[in-house]
Structure formats: C-alpha cells, structure tokens
Amino acid sequence: MKNFRLFFTTQDTGSIEFLVCFVADDGTRCARPESERLRQKIREGVRSRICSKTFILPVIARHSSKEIAILRKPKEDMPSTNPSTFNHVIFEVGPPGNTWKYCVERERLAERSEWFRAMLVGPLAPAPSDPPPLLKLQHVEKRAFDNLLRYFLDEPVNFQSVPTARDTLDVAHQYLCSELARLAVEYLERNLNTQNVLEIYEGLGLYANHETPDLNRSSNSPTAPPAPGDDAGEIAVLCTRLLSACLHKIDVESDTVFGQQHFEELNSVEVEELASRDTLKLTDESILFNALDRWAAAECRRNGIEPSASNKRSALSNDVWYSVRYPLMTDRKFIEGPMASGILTSEESALIVARILGHVEDLEGEEVKNLLLPKLNSTPRVTAVTYEDLCYTMSKPGTKECQDNRKNRRKECVTQGHRTCTKIGTCMVRVLAWIFD
C-alpha cells in the first residue's frame, strides 16, 4: 500500500464549519483539472444539506475508499461575548440623589413574584442588552426594597427600626408578598407604642378591609379566611389586625397621641376617623380641638394659604369640627379654647356656651338653634359606669349602701346646680364681651 498524503481545506459558511479531506493514490496533488468539478459537486451537496438542516453530511472523495464526515457546529453552542448580562436587569431604587442599585436576575425574580414576572419577562419587559437595562423605582424606599430582595433570595430579613418595617409593609403590599407582610406586621405589633402609633397608622387603612375593625369583638371571634393563594386577601387580613391594634392604642392613650406632631401629617379621612371615635379616653375635649386646629393650620401651609380662622375652618368639614363634644367642656375651657380661636362663629359660640350652662331656651333665634343643636353631642366617648350598674354588681346585703349613694348623688346635684347659677352671670358677661370686642 502506497503512502498517502492528506490535503485539508477549510470552508466557513455562516455558523457552520466544514472540514474536507482529500486522499490521493499517487504522490501528486489532487489539484488537477477534474478537482474543480469535484469541488463544485461538493458545494452543491453542502448547499442542499444546509437547506434541509442536516447535521451530518457524508461526502465520498474521488480516488479514495474512505468516508469523511462534514460536521455542523450548532449556533446555540457558539460562545457569546457575555451571555449572563442578557438575563439581568438593574434596579435603581429610591428618590433621586438617594438611591441604591441592584443587578438582579430576571428569571429568579419572576419565579417568586407575579408582579416581577409581568414586569421583567412579560410583553412590556425591557429588551435584553449589554449592559443590562436600567429600571428606576423612585417611589420605593431603598431599605424596604432590600428586605424584599432578601426575602426573594431566601436570606434572613431582620428589621432594625419601625419606619423600615412600615415601609417594608408598603412594598410587600405593592408586590403581593404576603409572607414578607406577615413578618413586618409581627414586628410592628411587638414594637407598637404611643410614640410611633400614628406613624404606623398613617396610610394603613388603604390596605385593610373596607369594614372598620370592631374593637369590641373578641379576638377569638371567627373571621372569614382568605382563599388559598390569595396574597392580597392575606395582606388585607394582616393589615386589618394591625389597624385594630393601632386604634386600640390611640383610644387608650388619646391625650398623648393627639398631642404628637405626627398628627398633622395624617390625611383628612384619617383625621375624621379618629375624631369621631366614641372610644377615645380623652380627659378633656379641648385636647382634640387643639389637635384639629394644628392639623388645619398645617393643611393651609401645605396648600400655600394663610392659616387664618376662616381658612382653617374650611380645611375640615363641619362634621369634623362638631365631632368635638363641646357640651362636655367646662365654660372656661370652651371660652379660652374653641371660642378664642375664631374658628366657630359668634352664633355657634353663644349657643354652645348656653348649652354648657343649661340655658339654651333663653337664646333667641329658633332657626339657629334648630340647625346647631342637633350637631352638638354631649354623650361621653367612653361609657361611664352608671350608678345602677354599680348597684347591680353589689351583693344583696349592700342594698342600703345603694340607697345611701343615691341620696348623696342627689345632694351633689343640688349643690352643683347652685354653683352653676352663680357662674351664669360671669360666663354670659365673658361671652358678650368676646362677641362685641
């Protein structure tokens, strides 16, 4: 058998690499005139196989009994410049000038959140690029978003402060992450106090159920659980529970809560909800009026107008101003507080003073009385334990004590009536002096 000499020719067509081997029986090169016709046949055969997407193309070389394969290297196996960047996206989180940036994998977030699935791999997703596309989330607090990513990446979430936990609850609601919302609510419940209750309460009603929580109902009362997989329903139940805890704290510590500066940051709906609660344990209704006065002044400044008495009156509805139970105030507290502020009209002030002193029938103007008297609420916010209730709780041998207490109460009422009469003249002089001043 003669020695063989091999000649190699490489031809590149697109992403397909061909290797052709020619074997000669004699010592001469295969480059003779009929080799051109052979190459032409090879090219035609290759083109036909490419059109049929054949991966292995057999070719028989002339003057050779050996079969040589032409292999196709798939295009998807070709290395790219940086393939990992095409599956990533960059988030810029936070307001301008105070942002954090995260480079995250699209598919991993899409698997954990329906919101991210629609955002990153849906029809409106940004096109892959190198470097990855930039998405700005200016409305999201950066530390809260960091907790969200930690949860999605199965890393521990540790809250360091109440504001961060509250912001994390907002992010969990936006991205429908019920388990992260549960962690935030449990932290907020453990750290709820009079100093941060308004900060937690602010905006919480948007996430809770539409019905106002019934704080008188037992915590063990059955409630309708959300459907399985209903993240929005689970978050609403959690936020309703947290809202109930906030309202209970506000009821118990009303004097302290209404004196806080953060009360001025609430919206008008939240202010109306708190002012109309029957369970507020206020030691004096003037505390609530002063809080409403401060909120109205802040609202005027937010709108760029002068915080005058008329503008502050317009900042809240009449129902809110009359949620203050003026008849429960003393005459002095009312004159030095609501009456001196100028928010109430002179007719309203005169009628309220007369109501406090018990001389409404002495005032003139039936129309004014018919319009204003129904708005005045003299019912105590917290139901006081009446004398009859105390007698009911006593045992039967204590009947004589009940009778003695009843007599003493009548004597106190008579004494109080005499004291009230002595104050009528002084109070009416004060009212008239204020009206005509």
Side-chain angles (χ1 to χ4, degrees):
M1 187 176 181
K2 296 182 179 180
N3 296 327
F4 292 90
R5 297 176 60 186
L6 302 179
F7 296 86
F8 297 89
T9 303
T10 302
Q11 300 177 2
D12 295 329
T13 304
S15 63
I16 301 176
E17 180 178 316
F18 301 98
L19 180 62
V20 182
C21 178
F22 296 94
V23 182
D25 292 331
D26 54 3
T28 60
R29 292 175 60 90
C30 293
R32 54 178 183 252
E34 47 271 11
S35 63
E36 295 297 333
R37 291 191 296 272
L38 176 61
R39 292 193 183 94
Q40 184 65 25
K41 292 181 181 179
I42 294 175
R43 292 192 188 98
E44 293 176 356
V46 169
R47 291 193 187 97
S48 63
R49 299 303 179 90
I50 293 174
C51 295
S52 61
K53 298 182 179 179
T54 304
F55 285 79
I56 301 178
L57 303 177
V59 176
I60 305 299
R62 190 180 181 183
H63 308 292
S64 174
S65 60
K66 293 183 179 285
E67 189 177 84
I68 303 173
I70 302 178
L71 304 179
R72 177 177 186 260
K73 193 170 186 180
K75 185 176 182 180
E76 55 269 20
D77 293 340
M78 295 292 290
S80 60
T81 55
N82 193 359
S84 61
T85 60
F86 288 94
N87 192 33
H88 285 70
V89 66
I90 297 177
F91 285 110
E92 185 176 284
V93 186
N98 187 21
T99 61
W100 287 356
K101 290 185 178 181
Y102 299 88
C103 184
V104 298
E105 187 177 355
R106 297 184 188 224
E107 296 293 341
R108 192 168 184 180
L109 287 183
E111 293 176 356
R112 301 296 300 271
S113 171
E114 295 181 1
W115 198 96
F116 278 115
R117 185 181 304 116
M119 179 181 180
L120 300 179
V121 298
L124 301 179
S129 62
D130 187 10
L134 178 65
L135 299 179
K136 295 184 178 181
L137 302 177
Q138 298 180 358
H139 61 285
V140 179
E141 205 279 329
K142 56 182 184 296
R143 289 181 175 82
F145 189 81
D146 184 77
N147 290 332
L148 180 67
L149 289 183
R150 285 179 177 274
Y151 174 76
F152 283 154
L153 299 178
D154 297 324
E155 297 179 2
V157 178
N158 298 318
F159 299 107
Q160 301 296 329
S161 64
V162 167
T164 300
R166 183 63 182 82
D167 293 333
T168 303
L169 179 59
D170 294 338
V171 173
H173 178 269
Q174 178 180 354
Y175 296 102
L176 298 178
C177 185
S178 59
E179 185 61 24
L180 182 62
R182 184 186 62 81
L183 296 176
V185 167
E186 290 177 353
Y187 178 87
L188 293 173
E189 288 177 336
R190 291 194 304 268
N191 295 273
L192 180 65
N193 55 51
T194 56
Q195 302 302 321
N196 57 33
V197 61
L198 290 179
E199 184 178 0
I200 299 174
Y201 168 77
E202 183 182 3
L204 191 60
L206 298 175
Y207 308 152
N209 293 326
H210 296 293
E211 298 83 5
T212 303
D214 186 5
L215 297 181
N216 296 324
R217 186 179 62 183
S218 173
S219 59
N220 297 325
S221 300
T223 57
D230 183 9
D231 292 333
E234 294 179 5
I235 294 175
V237 171
L238 291 170
C239 292
T240 302
R241 189 182 75 190
L242 180 60
L243 179 61
S244 299
C246 291
L247 292 176
H248 178 70
K249 179 65 68 174
I250 294 173
D251 288 341
V252 175
E253 304 290 344
S254 301
D255 292 355
T256 303
V257 172
F258 285 120
Q260 293 179 3
Q261 186 176 0
H262 198 86
F263 182 83
E264 305 169 12
E265 305 301 325
L266 304 178
N267 59 46
S268 59
V269 177
E270 295 167 340
V271 171
E272 181 177 2
E273 179 185 3
L274 296 183
S276 61
R277 292 185 62 78
D278 295 331
T279 51
L280 296 176
K281 294 183 179 180
L282 289 169
T283 58
D284 196 332
E285 289 288 324
S286 61
I287 297 175
L288 175 58
F289 180 85
N290 293 334
L292 296 179
D293 189 10
R294 297 193 334 266
W295 187 94
E299 182 69 8
C300 291
R301 296 187 182 96
R302 282 190 287 265
N303 296 328
I305 59 178
E306 180 185 0
S308 61
S310 60
N311 290 335
K312 289 191 291 185
R313 177 64 182 265
S314 301
L316 290 170
S317 64
N318 289 334
D319 292 337
V320 179
W321 288 115
Y322 275 95
S323 64
V324 181
R325 305 186 180 183
Y326 302 107
L328 299 180
M329 301 172 63
T330 63
D331 54 349
R332 180 176 181 180
K333 286 283 187 179
F334 177 78
I335 294 174
E336 295 178 353
M339 186 174 176
S341 67
I343 294 177
L344 301 175
T345 64
S346 58
E347 293 83 1
E348 291 173 327
S349 298
L351 180 63
I352 293 173
V353 171
R355 177 67 179 273
I356 294 174
L357 299 176
H359 295 279
V360 178
E361 57 276 1
D362 296 339
L363 294 178
E364 297 180 357
E366 294 296 330
E367 182 178 358
V368 176
K369 290 191 290 186
N370 293 335
L371 291 176
L372 297 181
L373 282 178
K375 297 181 180 180
L376 296 177
N377 191 347
S378 59
T379 304
R381 293 184 182 272
V382 181
T383 303
V385 180
T386 61
Y387 176 75
E388 290 76 14
D389 294 335
L390 291 175
C391 292
Y392 180 79
T393 57
M394 293 181 181
S395 58
K396 292 182 179 179
T399 304
K400 186 176 183 301
E401 295 179 2
C402 292
Q403 295 175 353
D404 294 338
N405 291 333
R406 191 175 287 131
K407 293 179 182 179
N408 295 332
R409 184 176 179 82
R410 291 196 188 111
K411 293 180 181 179
E412 291 177 0
C413 291
V414 173
T415 305
Q416 184 67 23
H418 290 298
R419 294 176 181 175
T420 302
C421 292
T422 58
K423 293 181 179 180
I424 290 177
T426 304
C427 293
M428 292 303 297
V429 171
R430 292 179 182 176
V431 172
L432 293 175
W434 170 258
I435 294 175
F436 295 103
D437 187 4

